[in-house]
Amino acid sequence: MRLLIKFKSDEGFEYSSINNYTIQGFIYSFLKRSNSFYDYHDMEGFKYFCFSNIFPVSDFKKGELKNLIISSPNFKLIKVLEKELKKRESAYLGNYPVKIESVSLFKPKLERQFITSTPIVLYKDGRKNYYFSMKKTHDFQFFMDRLKENALKKYNSFYDEEYYFEGNIFDRLEYGREVAVRLKKADKLFIVIGTLWKNLEKFNMDNKKFYYFLLNCGLGEKNSLGFGMLNTMGSLKNA
């Protein structure tokens, strides 16, 4: 399930002034207002939500309409966010005041072809905080194996199942590019390495529930920081 938030800024500022931590903090600020998710930020384990970049991708101008999409396989979480957002006409995105214009719920349609909306992040070595880099290793099989392992772990954790399948998670892939995302939190700079993909295709979806989960939860790691968000190819063609 997905939530589309439309808002306007009360002042002009650079697009780079807002990063993934800013948007994540915006989401948690509304979850904290609810009885069900007030301590969600402090809970261990997967958070099962993802979000898009703010679009259009351009500097913020006073009164200009911007958009943000939040997705999650947890329907209750999305409904709580919808309820809390609709209670308020204004909010803060980091240090910047914004006016919430509209909040709408929608269900994405599952198709066999996906495209990354935000970079897929995977650890090469999580203990050393070392990210997988296609440029450095060109190890495509490691990417495929780790992507499948992470997806199954999240899916089974969410549904309390022991689902597994043989073979690769996707049958056809078209690589886009690798990106280094600079994030700043509490005056500390972090660099996250991720990959963008033009096409991630599964010919036969034996378990549509699994792929619909990925569409809503995201691929790879750091989904709750906005990484690994997916769209379907059809949704872009119809946009």
Side-chain angles (χ1 to χ4, degrees), residues 19-230:
N19 65 30
N20 298 56
Y21 280 115
T22 314
I23 301 172
Q24 185 192 60
F26 174 82
I27 295 170
Y28 278 133
S29 71
F30 285 95
L31 289 176
K32 285 178 181 178
R33 294 185 171 104
S34 72
N35 293 327
S36 304
F37 295 93
Y38 71 94
D39 60 346
Y40 201 58
H41 177 270
D42 300 320
M43 292 175 61
E44 294 184 0
F46 301 117
K47 297 301 190 292
Y48 309 111
F49 71 84
C50 197
F51 54 85
S52 69
N53 293 318
I54 293 174
F55 61 98
V57 180
S58 59
D59 287 345
F60 291 80
K61 296 178 182 178
K62 183 178 179 179
E64 181 184 40
L65 194 66
K66 293 283 189 180
N67 306 274
L68 173 67
I69 296 175
I70 304 170
S71 68
S72 176
N74 189 334
F75 181 71
K76 186 176 181 180
L77 182 146
I78 290 292
K79 287 295 291 182
V80 163
L81 280 174
E82 180 192 28
K83 179 182 177 181
E84 294 299 329
L85 280 159
K86 284 185 172 180
K87 286 180 181 178
R88 291 161 179 83
E89 296 182 354
S90 60
Y92 275 87
L93 187 61
N95 296 322
Y96 301 99
V98 296
K99 292 179 180 178
I100 299 171
E101 296 293 316
S102 67
V103 181
S104 55
L105 203 64
F106 70 100
K107 185 177 181 180
K109 183 181 178 182
L110 180 65
E111 298 173 3
R112 72 178 190 179
Q113 290 179 284
F114 304 90
I115 186 170
T116 51
S117 173
T118 59
I120 295 175
V121 173
L122 292 170
Y123 279 117
K124 182 75 173 179
D125 188 335
R127 289 175 295 182
K128 295 181 180 179
N129 205 36
Y130 182 62
Y131 295 105
F132 167 81
S133 168
M134 191 72 75
K135 285 183 178 179
K136 290 182 178 179
T137 67
H138 303 285
D139 192 346
F140 181 73
Q141 194 56 52
F142 176 89
F143 174 84
M144 293 293 288
D145 292 344
R146 183 58 64 88
L147 192 68
K148 176 183 173 181
E149 176 189 357
N150 176 268
L152 285 170
K153 187 182 294 184
K154 282 186 296 192
Y155 176 85
N156 287 324
S157 173
F158 185 78
Y159 287 109
D160 194 21
E161 295 181 9
E162 295 183 1
Y163 174 63
Y164 182 78
F165 61 91
E166 297 294 337
N168 290 325
I169 188 170
F170 294 109
D171 299 313
R172 179 185 294 160
L173 297 89
E174 185 179 354
Y175 179 66
R177 59 192 173 94
E178 183 169 296
V179 295
V181 182
R182 296 164 64 91
L183 301 177
K184 193 173 183 181
K185 184 180 182 183
D187 294 325
K188 290 185 178 180
L189 183 66
F190 303 89
I191 297 179
V192 178
I193 306 297
T195 52
L196 292 165
W197 297 80
K198 298 178 182 179
N199 183 27
L200 299 165
E201 187 171 357
K202 186 65 178 177
F203 297 151
N204 297 305
M205 291 183 181
D206 295 328
N207 188 344
K208 291 183 178 180
K209 178 182 171 183
F210 173 72
Y211 287 92
Y212 195 68
F213 171 84
L214 297 182
L215 180 59
N216 284 308
C217 189
L219 276 174
E221 302 177 77
K222 295 187 177 295
N223 301 139
S224 65
L225 255 182
F227 290 101
M229 189 173 188
L230 296 176

